Amino acid sequence: MAQLGGVASRPGAPSAAAPNGQPAASPTAYDGPGQPGPTTPRSRRRNRFGPGWPLVAMLVGWPLWWLLGLGEAVPLLVAVVMVVQLSRRPEVHLPRGFGWWLLFLAWVVLGVTMLWVDAPGAVPGGGASRLVIFGFRLSWYVACTVFVVWITTMPRREVPDRLVHACVAWMFAVSTVGGLVALAMPTLELRTPFEMVLPAGLRSNGFVQSLVHVQVADLQAVLGSTGARPKAPFAYTNTWGSVMALSLVFVGAWLAGKRGLSRVRGDLVALLVLVAAVPPILYSLNRGLWGSLALGALGLAVLAAAKGRPALLAAFLALGSLAAVVVLATPLGDLVSDRLDHQHSNDRRGELLVLTTESVTEGSPVLGFGSTRDVQGSFASITGAATPDCPGCGVPPLGTQGQLWTVLFSQGWPGLVFFVSFVVLALARSARCRSLNEAVCTFVGAFFLLQLPIYDTLGLPMVILMIAIGLVAREQREQAGRGLPRALTTGRRLTQELRRGTAAILVCTTVGAALGLTVAVLAATPRHVSKVFMAITPAPVYLDAEVDQEEDAELARETETKEITVDTEAALLMSETTLESAAVEVDTTPSKLREGLAVTAEPNSSVLVLHLTWPDVEEIPALVPAITEAYFQARRDYLDQRREDLVAKLREQLRTLEDTSASASETRVRLLGAITDLGRDRGEVGEVVRQSPPTSAPRGFEVPTMSGAALGLLVGAVLTTLVPPRPRRKR
């Protein structure tokens, strides 16, 4: 990769000339007062890794942190240490395009005001757990910010590129070992020390449990039979796949930095690890990882051709062809083809992302909802939910199944634009691959964007991305000198810009919030909500008479379309027939009733929940019985008609029975018994079991008010950027 990049990023190598023709600052030069001078042998012995020790401790010690149950906590603690180190630097440097990331962080922080806003299609209400998850994600975003600023700021003589490359490449080896352990002992799990000291209430939380409890694999029936999907040393299988792909790029960078005999030894070690990684990569059934590797192979071939390396291109093509032959000519080929044939998660993901997009677009397009939400029911039924026997019967929360959808649902459309813009612009600045670090950033950025719609990349994958972006930012800063005068390239300049724009930002934010509140007040109408819980009795069905097999199949086909479920009952409740009957009783219109009604159901039950939202609280006591009685009457009429149809079919079968054999006589008796039972069955169709007293519905001021404030903040930031500072007067 060093030859492909065009410039080898060796510490101490002469840097390129600055744009003005003067020699650029050497990365090994002494930066002046406040910066540590050249290290002596004694100081190197005292601290082998220098200021880079936090990164080494986090990544090299990752297996230990994982076994202790601290894998998700240590990076956050390391970020605190890095902040202390940055506070001691005379200058803090920022990557170009950092303003996009700051806007994204502002959107994340503002999202806390949306945590208790009900999202369309989601379970209403919520508890303190949303705040816990919000704080967890915010902590990780802040930690990722610290990592990119730390890498950009620390000079290469203190935190060499080769040290960073080696640390991240180490994660590929660690993940490979974890994958092999998962294949050998898929049921292995451990209770970690950190898990033991957690309070029982916190330990029982499913989200917390997944972070602190050690499991080497997930057992999933992806190909029809249960198989192990590696995830050690991480909490999720997709995190394992993402880290495998991203850290592999750093393996190439680590090899490119070696020379002579150490290069030969490194090549042998890397070859052994790569060969060992093949089984867990294939048996992980991780299509995102496979796609990243395919994209990487294609990118290397394109880069080799662009850099004029025909021999290297031929080698890549030969290796790719050999790998394809090995996979296709062995049982591994059947494994890959079976995985591609079993696209069972595609429909589920597709339905969820459609619901996620519709919910955020309808409910809070500017700021999102701050965090994820549980889906009301499932894609199959409004009563659908996970059970101990069928954990997969539930639906993942809105805003999951991919970091792209998490950002969209949690931070809205502007937040997604800010997030993606920061990554895409960083990729664009390194896409020419003029150096090793630029090549690394290009491949890592491309892999990250590929994984964005399918992986939850918040965690170590995003840290690796920030490290790659920081390496390029540091390299370009040291080669180009002080940079553009007004670019947000240092902490000091950022502080100056914020101070200069504070008044404009505050005014615009206040005006935006006031406008949003005004719109909300003018548009909102006081409304009241009441819930009605209705237990639905099972519909009687008598089709167990033994008749001719062909006739039995015909009956099954005819009655299949008439199956009665909670979902069909909800549709009957909201039908025009029911609403017209209820509207007559309370002197209103069916369309107005439809606007104020919503139907849900208790999970895995036959209890319908009617949500009635109405402006006049005095009318609710009359509305509830009118609607419920109209529904029960419509259900009674439907069941009577269905009963008559079944009796007619059974009588027709009875009429066509001409055989006098013993079996025919037995069938005749069964048919007569079924007809008699159907004629006698006139039980209750359902009842109201509970009704909540009317309560004032939220006026919904949060979304328009905070959305206006967010847009005002954005306008203030843009004005601050576009309006140049006033020149200082000379005394």
Side-chain angles (χ1 to χ4, degrees):
M1 286 183 70
Q3 290 84 355
L4 290 177
V7 179
S9 57
R10 301 188 306 274
S15 57
N20 59 8
Q22 300 298 323
S26 170
T28 59
Y30 177 52
D31 285 351
Q35 296 281 10
T39 57
T40 63
R42 182 176 180 181
S43 65
R44 285 196 297 269
R45 286 195 302 269
R46 185 167 58 246
N47 190 352
R48 179 179 179 183
F49 300 112
W53 71 265
L55 184 67
V56 176
M58 182 186 77
L59 295 179
V60 176
W62 191 275
L64 175 62
W65 311 135
W66 176 66
L67 291 173
L68 293 175
L70 298 172
E72 297 293 329
V74 166
L76 307 181
L77 299 176
V78 167
V80 174
V81 176
M82 290 178 172
V83 169
V84 174
Q85 290 182 324
L86 290 172
S87 67
R88 297 173 180 173
R89 310 296 302 186
E91 187 70 272
V92 174
H93 297 278
L94 308 174
R96 291 180 60 188
F98 193 68
W100 291 103
W101 185 256
L102 284 181
L103 286 172
F104 171 70
L105 289 181
W107 247 245
V108 174
V109 173
L110 289 173
V112 72
T113 61
M114 300 288 105
L115 290 180
W116 285 273
V117 174
D118 291 338
V123 177
S129 59
R130 287 183 185 173
L131 194 59
V132 173
I133 297 176
F134 172 84
F136 176 81
R137 289 199 174 103
L138 176 61
S139 300
W140 265 105
Y141 285 132
V142 173
C144 291
T145 307
V146 173
F147 275 97
V148 71
V149 173
W150 184 81
I151 290 287
T152 304
T153 300
M154 304 303 288
R156 283 194 283 181
R157 71 174 186 281
E158 297 183 22
V159 184
D161 290 347
R162 65 175 182 272
L163 176 65
V164 179
H165 296 160
C167 288
V168 182
W170 164 254
M171 290 307 302
F172 182 82
V174 170
S175 301
T176 298
V177 173
L180 294 173
V181 172
L183 296 182
M185 296 178 287
T187 59
L188 177 64
E189 57 180 291
L190 301 172
R191 193 179 181 195
T192 65
F194 186 57
E195 180 184 2
M196 296 177 186
V197 301
L198 284 177
L202 191 60
R203 188 169 60 242
S204 61
N205 181 277
F207 176 70
V208 176
Q209 180 77 2
S210 67
L211 301 180
V212 301
H213 187 74
V214 164
Q215 285 182 310
V216 299
D218 277 341
L219 300 179
Q220 300 176 357
V222 178
L223 302 181
S225 59
T226 302
R229 301 188 65 194
K231 66 177 183 178
F234 306 102
Y236 305 105
T237 56
N238 286 346
T239 303
W240 182 88
S242 179
V243 172
M244 284 288 285
L246 299 178
S247 60
L248 179 59
V249 180
F250 283 84
V251 173
W254 174 69
L255 290 175
K258 290 187 172 294
R259 296 292 182 271
L261 185 59
S262 71
R263 173 64 179 269
V264 176
R265 290 196 297 264
D267 287 344
L268 290 176
V269 171
L271 181 60
L272 291 175
V273 174
L274 289 172
V275 171
V278 171
I281 287 176
L282 291 177
Y283 281 95
S284 70
L285 306 178
N286 203 314
R287 293 169 296 174
L289 172 58
W290 296 353
S292 297
L293 297 180
L295 177 63
L298 178 62
L300 283 174
V302 172
L303 190 57
K307 296 295 181 180
R309 300 284 192 272
L312 201 56
L313 176 60
F316 285 146
L317 294 177
L319 288 175
S321 302
L322 178 62
V325 170
V326 170
V327 170
L328 296 177
T330 64
L332 296 177
D334 295 335
L335 180 69
V336 175
S337 62
D338 287 345
R339 179 62 180 101
L340 297 179
D341 290 339
H342 287 75
Q343 307 282 354
H344 70 285
S345 64
N346 285 359
D347 293 339
R348 182 184 174 114
R349 284 179 181 270
E351 292 175 331
L352 185 64
L353 71 89
V354 169
L355 186 57
T356 295
T357 304
E358 291 177 347
S359 180
V360 72
T361 303
E362 176 186 347
S364 180
V366 176
L367 269 181
F369 295 101
S371 186
T372 58
R373 297 287 193 278
D374 291 330
V375 177
Q376 180 70 56
S378 70
F379 299 133
S381 171
I382 60 174
T383 64
T387 64
D389 296 332
C390 183
C393 292
V395 177
L398 294 172
T400 59
Q401 304 297 298
Q403 183 66 25
L404 181 73
W405 315 114
T406 299
V407 173
L408 172 61
F409 190 79
S410 302
Q411 279 72 55
W413 290 102
L416 179 63
V417 171
F418 301 148
F419 181 88
V420 174
S421 295
F422 175 74
V423 179
V424 169
L425 290 176
L427 177 61
R429 282 189 290 270
S430 63
R432 295 173 63 184
C433 297
R434 295 163 297 186
S435 69
L436 178 60
N437 282 330
E438 287 191 1
V440 168
C441 187
T442 299
F443 280 85
V444 169
F447 289 179
F448 187 86
L449 290 176
L450 174 67
Q451 298 169 4
L452 203 56
I454 53 178
Y455 286 168
D456 182 3
T457 54
L458 182 59
L460 191 59
M462 193 173 294
V463 169
I464 294 176
L465 171 72
M466 291 301 190
I467 288 174
I469 293 174
L471 288 173
V472 171
R474 179 174 71 175
E475 181 178 83
Q476 293 178 349
R477 170 180 61 81
E478 292 181 351
Q479 290 178 356
R482 298 185 61 87
L484 299 175
R486 294 199 61 232
L488 297 181
T489 55
T490 66
R492 183 181 296 114
R493 289 176 182 172
L494 174 61
T495 303
Q496 292 172 352
E497 290 293 302
L498 290 177
R499 287 176 179 174
R500 185 173 68 87
T502 297
I505 292 174
L506 288 177
V507 169
C508 291
T509 302
T510 303
V511 171
L515 291 175
L517 180 60
T518 301
V519 172
V521 170
L522 294 177
T525 302
R527 304 177 77 83
H528 302 82
V529 178
S530 180
K531 289 184 181 180
V532 183
F533 296 81
M534 296 178 289
I536 309 303
T537 57
V541 178
Y542 297 91
L543 296 177
D544 55 350
E546 294 180 1
V547 295
D548 181 79
Q549 184 176 2
E550 183 178 349
E551 294 175 347
D552 203 14
E554 180 65 24
L555 260 181
R557 284 194 297 270
E558 292 178 356
T559 57
E560 184 177 5
T561 58
K562 297 183 179 181
E563 182 182 2
I564 298 175
T565 66
V566 175
D567 298 274
T568 62
E569 296 294 345
L572 179 61
L573 196 157
M574 296 294 291
S575 68
E576 195 68 20
T577 301
T578 302
L579 296 184
E580 283 180 354
S581 177
V584 171
E585 296 295 326
V586 292
D587 192 22
T588 185
T589 62
S591 59
K592 188 176 180 181
L593 277 179
R594 192 183 303 278
E595 291 177 2
L597 291 179
V599 182
T600 60
E602 293 292 286
N604 300 317
S605 75
S606 58
V607 177
L608 283 178
V609 183
L610 175 67
H611 303 260
L612 175 61
T613 304
W614 205 254
D616 190 350
V617 67
E618 301 295 334
E619 296 180 2
I620 290 180
L623 281 168
V624 170
I627 296 171
T628 55
E629 287 301 324
Y631 161 64
F632 288 144
Q633 185 59 48
R635 185 170 195 256
R636 189 176 295 109
D637 294 342
Y638 172 73
L639 291 180
D640 286 345
Q641 183 61 50
R642 187 170 188 268
R643 187 180 291 107
E644 291 176 4
D645 292 343
L646 290 175
V647 168
K649 290 182 181 297
L650 292 175
R651 291 186 184 280
E652 179 64 23
Q653 291 183 56
L654 185 63
R655 188 182 63 80
T656 57
L657 273 178
E658 299 177 352
D659 192 358
T660 59
S661 63
S663 60
S665 298
E666 183 178 350
T667 300
R668 186 176 291 104
V669 171
R670 293 176 63 86
L671 286 172
L672 288 171
I675 293 172
T676 303
D677 289 338
L678 281 169
R680 284 200 305 251
D681 192 350
R682 290 292 189 274
E684 292 295 327
V685 294
E687 62 176 338
V688 175
V689 295
R690 183 162 62 90
Q691 177 184 348
S692 65
T695 58
S696 297
R699 299 288 294 274
F701 293 154
E702 301 96 330
V703 173
T705 302
M706 295 310 302
S707 297
L711 293 176
L713 184 149
L714 179 60
V715 171
V718 171
L719 291 177
T720 301
T721 304
L722 296 179
V723 177
R726 294 181 180 179
R728 295 183 178 180
R729 296 181 180 179
K730 295 183 179 180
R731 296 184 179 179

